[in-house]
Amino acid sequence: MIGLQSLLIVLSVMRGVWMAEVVSSRTAPDRLGCLDGVIRQEQPINRVNTTLRLQQLRVAMSAVKLVRGAPLKAYIITSDDEHQTEMVSPSDKRRQYVTGFTGSAGTAVVTQNMAALWVDGRYHLQADQQLDCQWIVMKSGQDQVPSISEWLKSVLSSGDRIGADPKLVSADQWLEWRSDLAESGIKLDAVQANLVDAIWNEDNGRPKPNPRPAFIHDIAYAGQTWQEKVGVVRNELKELGLDGIVVTALDEIAWLLNLRGADVPYSPLVKSYAYVSLQQVVLFVEPLKLKVAPIREHLESDRCPREQPDDLCVEIRRYENVFNDLPRLTAKANSVLLPSRYAYSGGVSFAIYETIPADKRRTSPSPLILLKATKNAIEVEGMKNAHMKDAVALCDFLSLLQEQVHEGKVQWDELKVVHTLDEYRQQQDLNRGPSFSTIAAFGPNGAVIHYRPSLETNRIIDNSSFLIIDSGGQYLDGTTDVTRTFHFGRATQRQKEIYTRVLMGAIDLATLVFPDSIDDTRIDVIARQHLYSAGLDYLHGTGHGIGSFLNVHESPIQIRIYGKVGHHFEENYFFSDEPGFYQENEFGIRLESILRVINKTFEHQRDGRFLGFEVVSLVPFDPYLIVPELMTFKQLHWLNHYQAMVRIKVGEELKRQNRMRAFYWLMSKTRHITEPCHRSKNGSPGSINASSFISRIIIAALVSVQLAVALLMSS
């Protein structure tokens, strides 16, 4: 009989062989433009040569003074900043600098002779295009793709030392890595000097941080004072038996104190930390960010500290003092909440985690996540207003784009779409720029899920394929995110059928009614079912939460069929509904609308609470890409009702703003779609009933009246 130690050795060898096969299968042979380690001449035009960067980083990994100890056998580079922000400032894009990959998510690992990048399904194609042949693309979610710790254990040896910046890794992730690696005798060390910072500076193109100061988010849009919010947070702390909480997530601090800023592109955030206890509120921020006098007055900072805890003020301390001051601030506390990872919220960094003594640490998701996600009445109304303005901008822009592409006299490309759409949004009241970098993807570029046009990849837009426009705006009263797919020529029957299946999934999710015990991971299949029935799918989640003049991706909602942790819906959460389909090297289709969670009541309701959704986005779906025969009566009824609602609401606003080209475009895009005569109410063979026929007559009459009025007004 084989001994236990021998068995473990055999299993280790077998595992090493398997891992070696996994690694070799992801080097040159399956990389675009790479063959058996040899770089082919025909490289993707947006690929970045990282040879020098990797050489410099490896030198830094061996610099004993820099790493304060034995040379590092591997170095981990996350996409995070110090606050585990999803979209970071240009000066914090360390992972992008080292790899050349521009996606918002991904983790790089560099050893002395290998380099690998882990990306999720949104970025499989993009990473393969952008990474040069020195990199292994680890396509997370695919079979036999190892985790970071599994891969490191396969290529390193017991006693080896790995490094990472503890400020740029969440505590949850750090502890997980440390535990996994320790099983193989590999040590993960906190290297205080960031090695990417040692090789990337202003001399070789590193951008400077944005110097613009913070500003107050007015109560007219916030709907609640910061003092009221602090009071609610303190009540949460009392219920949890906690003395204080360290808040590191930038959107949570912005929401709590009704502050906004410009430190992060597309999200109005201020780089800062906060400590909230039952006695005090301390904000760690660069003094220049608060140089505008009304901000200190807003926070009552010049009259801090106060003797009475109910007499609220915010004490201001320097941003870099947080690591030294937190131990003193929490000296008398018995329990301090250090938020853990939850949905898009990364939780505290390992560096912050280490500042609080182990016996005082309490970890769980931040209570501010759910407080912020539940929009108050003012925010709900603001979100609706923001989406109305956004619809006006989009419809006006799209009417111009379609007209000029059809005429063929003015040339349009993806970059021109991005810039022009930004200009149209800026014309709307309270607009403060885009909520993320606009995705304008034509033809094959549309198959890259999170494609961003560049000078290298920019395509001319014509009538030969689909165009995806995924964009959003930041308004003082709300944040928007909407995606529509267009074809300015003749789509094939197959393309129309796929578009219709994507739309059917979006409609089914929007019309879902369910018990409040159902979490977000369990409803994703609703949006995918019609693609599944045709053997199709897509490699991204179906929905994300969205903030109010905050992050376009907001916790807790993540509608992901592959999600490991479920999150429950609450009334007045806002989130996206965005199924899609992507045919590599050909085209992409995505349809995205923002939904609001509402309570549903019934005459004969049983015990328990039921929830449903209300659509907030007001941009029409293209009727010329829809195959009605595929749809049920219920789906067509919803679609016609939605298109009619958009026609009336947005049409009135377009006329008010005298955007008549857009008004007529809207009329053509919101025409009523007649249910096929072979369908009954449940979508099975039959005939349309009388009420449906009468409804069509009424809607047609309303359309005729509206067009007549519009013609009179424009004459």
Side-chain angles (χ1 to χ4, degrees):
M1 181 179 290
I2 189 170
L4 178 61
Q5 187 173 10
S6 299
L7 178 61
L8 289 173
I9 291 173
V10 170
L11 290 173
S12 177
V13 170
M14 291 175 64
R15 182 180 179 284
V17 170
W18 172 77
M19 289 298 299
E21 290 175 352
V22 170
V23 168
S24 65
S25 71
R26 277 161 181 77
T27 51
D30 73 341
R31 286 297 316 284
L32 187 64
C34 307
L35 180 64
D36 297 327
V38 179
I39 302 175
R40 295 176 178 176
Q41 287 186 342
E42 60 275 16
Q43 293 289 298
I45 54 178
N46 57 336
R47 182 160 287 180
V48 178
N49 187 338
T50 61
T51 301
L52 180 59
R53 299 171 191 182
L54 287 173
Q55 288 175 350
Q56 292 174 332
L57 182 61
R58 287 169 174 144
V59 169
M61 289 164 58
S62 299
V64 175
K65 290 185 178 179
L66 196 60
V67 300
R68 295 179 178 266
L72 301 177
K73 296 298 183 179
Y75 191 66
I76 302 174
I77 308 146
T78 68
S79 302
D80 294 354
D81 61 9
E82 295 88 341
H83 306 272
Q84 285 56 64
T85 310
E86 183 187 19
M87 298 180 187
V88 302
S89 69
S91 60
D92 286 326
K93 292 184 176 181
R94 298 174 178 87
R95 189 265 303 141
Q96 177 176 321
Y97 173 75
V98 171
T99 65
F101 169 66
T102 60
S104 64
T107 302
V109 180
V110 177
T111 70
Q112 288 297 339
N113 55 14
M114 303 177 78
L117 177 73
W118 278 257
V119 291
D120 62 51
R122 296 172 297 171
Y123 297 115
H124 288 176
L125 289 177
Q126 182 178 338
D128 199 23
Q129 290 177 356
Q130 292 184 324
L131 294 178
D132 66 26
C133 294
Q134 299 174 85
W135 288 88
I136 304 167
V137 179
M138 297 292 190
K139 298 178 179 179
S140 298
Q142 290 189 350
D143 293 340
Q144 294 190 326
V145 174
S147 67
I148 289 174
S149 53
E150 285 175 336
W151 184 74
L152 283 169
K153 287 190 285 187
S154 74
V155 299
L156 299 182
S157 303
S158 178
D160 284 348
R161 182 180 181 229
I162 296 174
D165 187 335
K167 298 187 296 298
L168 307 182
V169 182
S170 73
D172 291 340
Q173 185 64 80
W174 188 283
L175 296 172
E176 181 183 319
W177 282 340
R178 189 171 69 179
S179 175
D180 289 347
L181 294 168
E183 294 174 357
S184 299
I186 300 170
K187 185 179 182 182
L188 175 61
D189 265 353
V191 179
Q192 300 303 325
N194 189 284
L195 302 191
V196 180
D197 291 353
I199 66 172
W200 186 35
N201 50 52
E202 292 180 13
D203 292 337
N204 58 6
R206 186 171 191 170
K208 293 182 179 180
N210 194 323
R212 289 171 57 189
F215 58 93
I216 299 167
H217 188 47
D218 196 273
I219 188 67
Y221 311 118
Q224 196 176 15
T225 67
W226 69 263
Q227 291 92 337
E228 290 171 327
K229 294 178 182 179
V230 168
V232 174
V233 171
R234 283 179 170 171
N235 287 336
E236 293 277 339
L237 294 176
K238 291 174 184 176
E239 288 183 12
L240 295 169
L242 299 167
D243 297 315
I245 177 175
V246 180
V247 187
T248 62
L250 301 185
D251 61 332
E252 293 179 24
I253 297 171
W255 172 85
L256 178 66
L257 299 177
N258 287 344
L259 288 179
R260 299 294 190 268
D263 290 353
V264 177
Y266 310 115
S267 297
L269 306 176
V270 186
K271 269 201 164 185
S272 54
Y273 297 94
Y275 176 66
V276 181
S277 72
L278 301 179
Q279 293 79 33
Q280 64 186 138
V281 181
V282 181
L283 179 67
F284 296 90
V285 64
E286 288 293 343
L288 286 177
K289 294 295 177 182
L290 306 183
K291 65 182 180 180
V292 181
I295 295 182
R296 298 187 67 88
E297 183 179 337
H298 165 72
L299 298 175
E300 302 280 352
S301 298
D302 292 331
R303 292 185 285 279
C304 254
R306 305 256 179 105
E307 294 182 2
Q308 300 297 324
D310 292 337
D311 195 7
L312 286 176
C313 66
V314 178
E315 182 182 347
I316 305 299
R317 300 194 185 189
R318 297 188 69 88
Y319 178 81
E320 62 271 17
N321 290 350
V322 64
F323 297 102
N324 291 327
D325 289 4
L326 275 180
R328 291 194 288 268
L329 282 170
T330 59
K332 296 181 180 180
N334 294 315
S335 56
V336 177
L337 181 60
L338 299 173
S340 57
R341 182 171 50 196
Y342 192 67
Y344 296 102
S345 307
V348 299
S349 68
F350 183 68
I352 289 291
Y353 180 86
E354 287 284 276
T355 63
I356 306 300
D359 63 331
K360 296 183 179 184
R361 294 177 196 143
R362 304 291 185 272
T363 57
S364 66
S366 169
L368 281 75
I369 292 174
L370 305 189
L371 293 172
K372 172 168 54 65
T374 307
K375 310 299 186 285
N376 60 48
I378 296 295
E379 290 174 317
V380 168
E381 193 61 27
M383 288 289 280
K384 291 181 178 180
N385 291 337
H387 281 82
M388 170 62 78
K389 290 175 287 196
D390 211 57
V392 168
L394 267 167
C395 291
D396 200 10
F397 164 74
L398 291 169
S399 66
L400 172 69
L401 176 63
Q402 178 175 302
E403 178 181 272
Q404 294 192 342
V405 170
H406 281 170
E407 290 176 348
K409 297 178 181 178
V410 178
Q411 181 171 284
W412 280 87
D413 57 40
E414 295 166 338
L415 286 174
K416 185 176 179 180
V417 167
V418 172
H419 299 144
T420 308
L421 181 52
D422 284 350
E423 292 171 358
Y424 271 72
R425 277 199 170 95
Q426 289 167 8
Q427 296 170 15
Q428 293 301 308
D429 190 31
L430 307 182
N431 180 262
R432 293 297 181 270
S435 56
F436 58 95
S437 178
T438 295
I439 297 171
F442 182 73
N445 288 343
V448 180
I449 295 171
H450 267 207
Y451 170 80
R452 297 293 193 283
S454 64
L455 289 173
E456 296 81 11
T457 63
N458 191 27
R459 280 183 177 270
I460 301 297
I461 296 166
D462 56 31
N463 62 0
S464 65
S465 188
F466 282 117
L467 170 66
I468 294 177
I469 300 181
D470 184 347
S471 66
Q474 289 287 8
Y475 300 82
L476 291 179
D477 50 358
T479 302
T480 70
D481 181 5
V482 60
T483 307
R484 294 293 184 263
T485 301
F486 307 93
H487 198 302
F488 300 125
R490 292 184 178 273
T492 67
Q493 184 64 21
R494 177 176 178 271
Q495 289 174 333
K496 290 180 180 181
E497 288 179 0
I498 295 174
Y499 179 98
T500 305
R501 290 183 181 277
V502 172
L503 176 59
M504 290 160 65
I507 292 172
D508 284 358
L509 183 57
T511 56
L512 183 66
V513 178
F514 59 101
D516 65 356
S517 59
I518 301 294
D519 66 49
D520 52 3
T521 62
R522 295 169 66 185
I523 69 172
D524 195 354
V525 68
I526 299 295
R528 297 176 188 263
Q529 61 180 321
H530 303 292
L531 288 168
Y532 284 173
S533 65
L536 307 175
D537 196 7
Y538 50 94
L539 295 177
H540 60 76
T542 299
H544 59 80
I546 186 170
S548 176
F549 193 39
L550 282 171
N551 289 348
V552 73
H553 288 173
E554 180 178 81
S555 298
I557 299 304
Q558 290 182 314
I559 303 177
R560 298 175 172 180
I561 201 166
Y562 51 84
K564 297 179 180 179
V565 178
H567 316 95
H568 288 91
F569 293 88
E570 288 294 340
E571 185 179 12
N572 290 334
Y573 282 8
F574 286 74
F575 70 97
S576 69
D577 169 6
E578 51 179 311
F581 175 76
Y582 309 89
Q583 185 68 51
E584 187 173 352
N585 298 321
E586 290 188 30
F587 63 86
I589 297 169
R590 185 161 62 252
L591 301 173
E592 176 186 20
S593 300
I594 299 301
L595 307 181
R596 171 195 173 200
V597 182
I598 58 175
N599 278 320
K600 301 289 285 188
T601 56
F602 305 92
E603 184 179 353
H604 302 292
Q605 184 169 334
R606 301 185 65 178
D607 294 341
R609 188 167 62 116
F610 287 79
L611 300 173
F613 306 130
E614 172 188 76
V615 66
V616 178
S617 300
L618 295 169
V619 181
F621 299 101
D622 195 334
Y624 302 100
L625 295 175
I626 296 170
V627 182
E629 290 78 10
L630 288 176
M631 303 176 73
T632 65
F633 177 89
K634 179 181 176 182
Q635 291 165 346
L636 277 170
H637 178 76
W638 184 94
L639 177 61
N640 280 323
H641 180 270
Y642 175 77
Q643 301 282 75
M645 178 182 69
V646 170
R647 170 188 290 262
I648 293 169
K649 290 186 175 181
V650 181
E652 288 295 329
E653 184 62 19
L654 287 169
K655 287 190 291 183
R656 191 187 71 80
Q657 295 189 25
N658 196 30
R659 299 175 186 265
M660 297 311 296
R661 179 194 62 221
F663 174 81
Y664 294 123
W665 177 88
L666 184 68
M667 294 301 105
S668 70
K669 292 297 182 182
T670 55
R671 64 177 178 81
H672 184 79
I673 298 177
T674 302
E675 293 87 351
C677 292
H678 65 277
R679 289 198 178 276
S680 64
K681 276 195 172 184
N682 61 8
S684 59
S687 59
I688 297 172
N689 59 22
S691 62
S692 176
F693 179 73
I694 293 170
S695 296
R696 293 203 309 273
I697 293 175
I698 293 172
I699 292 173
L702 287 172
V703 171
S704 299
V705 170
Q706 203 165 27
L707 282 169
V709 171
L711 287 167
L712 287 172
M713 290 179 62
S714 60
S715 60

